[in-house]
Amino acid sequence: MEVIIQGTISALGYLEDGVYYQEPDCYETIRDLIRFLRNDSNTLLARKICGERNIIENDLIPIIKSDNLKDKMFDIALRLLANLTQPAIVSLQGKQPEDREEWQTFWTLEENLRRAKIAFADVKFFSVLKQKLVKYFNETEWEDRFEEDRLVMERIIVLLRYIFSISPTDRDGKRTTTESSSHDRLISAFLESGIDEVLIYIASQSKERDFHLSILVIFALIVKEHSPEDIVTAGRDRTAAEKEKAEEELRQAVEIEQARLEAQRRKVLASRHSRFSGSYVVKGLSAVNKEKDLVVVKPIKDVNEFKFLDERKAKRRVAKNRR
C-alpha cells in the first residue's frame, strides 16, 4: 500500500521556477489520495506518507496559487488541503493517545504539520482564498448562491482555522527577540492579503450567522501566542526609554549566556587529565639534546624544585625482605 501511495503522490505534478505543472490526471490523483485518507489504516499510513512528502508545500499550495485554475480543480485541492491540515488529535478521532504506538503516530503528525506551517505564510495563497470569499459573500446575492459554493466557503473557513491552530515550530524556540516567529509570518501574510477585512465583513452580517463562531475562533487563534501588552503596543513606535530598556535586557541576556558558556568551558578543561593540560619549556635546563631546552608536559608549581624530573623515571623496586 505504501508503494501505491508514493506513486500516487508522484503523479500529481512538479514545481519548476515557481510554476506548478499538473500531470494530465492530476484531478483523479487527488481524488485517489482523498480516498486513501478516508480508508486509512489504524496507523494512519496514508496521512503519514503525505506529511513526510510534504505535499502541502510542494503540491497543494502551488496548485491553489496557479493562474487560471478551474473551480473544479480548486475545490478538490482545497478538500485535500483541509483534510491534511486538520490537527493530529482530530485525525485520532478526538481521542488522547494511550499506548506508545499511538503517541508516536501523534507526534509524527504534529511534526509534519509544523514542517508545512511556514508554507502557508504566502500572500498570494491568502489572496486566492480572499477572492473566493469576496465573490461569494460580497458579489453574489443570497438568491443566486448554490449549495456547492457554500461548501467551498465552509472549507475555506475551516482551513483558516486549521492553519492558525498549528503549534509553533522547533525553530521558533531558537529565534531571537527581534526575529519573527512562524506564527507572526502567518499573521503578516494574512493581513497583507486583506482577507481579514473580508472575514470582519462576514462577521458583521446577521444573515451569515452560521460563520460567526468559526470566524471568532480564527481571530482567537491569531492572537493566542501574544500577550495583551504586545497586542496593545502593536504598530506603535517605541519610545527611547523602551528601546534603551530592551537593549539593556538583551545585553544582560548576552552576558549571562557568555558567562554560562565560559563556566561550562572551564568545567570541561578542569575535568581533563593532567597529561592534556599543555606543554612547558624549562629555560636553562638542557634536555637529552643539550642544544635544546627541556620540555615538560606536566604542570609545574615551582621550577626551582626538580622533583618532577625524578617522577618521570621508573622507580626502582626494593624487595620486601630488604626494606
Side-chain angles (χ1 to χ4, degrees):
M1 188 64 184
E2 181 177 355
V3 177
I4 297 176
I5 298 174
Q6 294 279 8
T8 305
I9 294 175
S10 301
L12 287 172
Y14 61 94
L15 183 66
E16 184 177 352
D17 297 333
V19 179
Y20 192 85
Y21 297 92
Q22 303 175 19
E23 295 292 343
D25 55 349
C26 182
Y27 180 84
E28 288 75 13
T29 303
I30 295 179
R31 291 188 61 182
D32 291 338
L33 289 175
I34 294 176
R35 188 175 69 254
F36 292 152
L37 293 174
R38 185 185 304 117
N39 302 322
D40 207 353
S41 61
N42 295 331
T43 59
L44 303 178
L45 177 63
R47 189 173 297 275
K48 288 180 181 178
I49 296 176
C50 291
E52 292 171 357
R53 293 287 297 270
N54 200 4
I55 66 173
I56 292 178
E57 179 179 359
N58 299 329
D59 298 283
L60 296 179
I61 292 180
I63 288 175
I64 292 179
K65 291 165 50 181
S66 300
D67 298 330
N68 302 322
L69 185 66
K70 296 181 180 179
D71 293 340
K72 186 178 180 181
M73 190 65 192
F74 175 84
D75 184 22
I76 196 71
L78 180 66
R79 287 175 56 189
L80 180 57
L81 183 59
N83 193 329
L84 292 176
T85 315
Q86 67 183 15
I89 193 67
V90 177
S91 302
L92 296 175
Q93 300 179 354
K95 299 179 181 178
Q96 184 178 357
E98 297 179 355
D99 54 11
R100 180 178 180 181
E101 184 177 354
E102 290 183 355
W103 275 111
Q104 187 175 5
T105 300
F106 175 82
W107 289 118
T108 300
L109 297 179
E110 280 288 319
E111 181 62 27
N112 293 338
L113 288 175
R114 293 193 193 104
R115 186 167 60 251
K117 180 178 182 179
I118 198 62
F120 290 106
D122 192 313
V123 178
K124 186 175 181 180
F125 170 74
F126 283 115
S127 298
V128 173
L129 301 183
K130 172 192 172 183
Q131 293 174 4
K132 297 293 182 179
L133 293 174
V134 169
K135 183 178 179 181
Y136 181 82
F137 290 103
N138 296 46
E139 300 177 359
T140 305
E141 296 296 334
W142 181 269
E143 297 80 8
D144 299 332
R145 296 178 180 178
F146 296 98
E147 185 64 25
E148 294 80 5
D149 297 334
R150 180 182 174 84
L151 291 176
V152 174
M153 298 304 110
E154 291 179 355
R155 293 190 184 104
I156 292 177
I157 299 297
V158 170
L159 175 62
L160 292 175
R161 189 177 65 188
Y162 286 166
I163 291 173
F164 287 103
S165 65
I166 300 176
S167 56
T169 62
D170 297 336
R171 191 173 181 179
D172 291 338
K174 302 177 183 178
R175 66 183 180 89
T176 62
T177 55
T178 58
E179 293 179 337
S180 298
S181 64
S182 59
H183 196 76
D184 293 336
R185 295 172 64 179
L186 270 179
I187 297 174
S188 178
F190 178 82
L191 297 177
E192 188 175 348
S193 66
I195 192 174
D196 58 313
E197 299 177 359
V198 181
L199 294 178
I200 293 174
Y201 170 79
I202 298 172
S204 64
Q205 301 297 314
S206 59
K207 60 183 179 181
E208 310 294 352
R209 62 176 62 92
D210 294 340
F211 298 94
H212 288 179
L213 183 58
S214 298
I215 294 175
L216 180 62
V217 172
I218 291 173
F219 282 101
L221 292 172
I222 289 176
V223 300
K224 69 174 182 177
E225 295 186 8
H226 297 278
S227 62
E229 293 80 4
D230 295 337
I231 298 175
V232 171
T233 58
R236 180 175 62 85
D237 295 335
R238 295 187 300 176
T239 62
E242 291 175 343
K243 292 181 180 179
E244 184 178 354
K245 181 180 178 181
E247 292 176 356
E248 179 65 20
E249 292 177 352
L250 180 60
R251 185 183 62 81
Q252 292 179 359
V254 171
E255 291 179 353
I256 293 174
E257 181 66 16
Q258 289 178 347
R260 186 186 67 81
L261 294 176
E262 181 66 19
Q264 185 177 2
R265 186 182 66 83
R266 291 180 179 179
K267 183 178 179 181
V268 172
L269 292 177
S271 62
R272 297 176 66 185
H273 193 274
S274 60
R275 293 294 184 184
F276 298 96
S277 58
S279 58
Y280 307 90
V281 177
V282 182
K283 292 291 185 180
L285 187 61
S286 300
V288 177
N289 186 354
K290 296 183 179 181
E291 297 180 357
K292 297 183 178 180
D293 295 328
L294 180 65
V295 177
V296 182
V297 294
K298 191 174 182 180
I300 303 174
K301 296 181 180 180
D302 189 357
V303 294
N304 296 323
E305 297 181 2
F306 299 104
K307 294 181 180 179
F308 62 89
L309 296 177
D310 298 333
E311 294 176 356
R312 299 174 60 191
K313 302 178 182 178
K315 295 183 179 180
R316 183 179 179 182
R317 296 182 178 275
V318 182
K320 291 183 179 180
N321 58 352
R322 295 185 179 181
R323 292 178 183 175

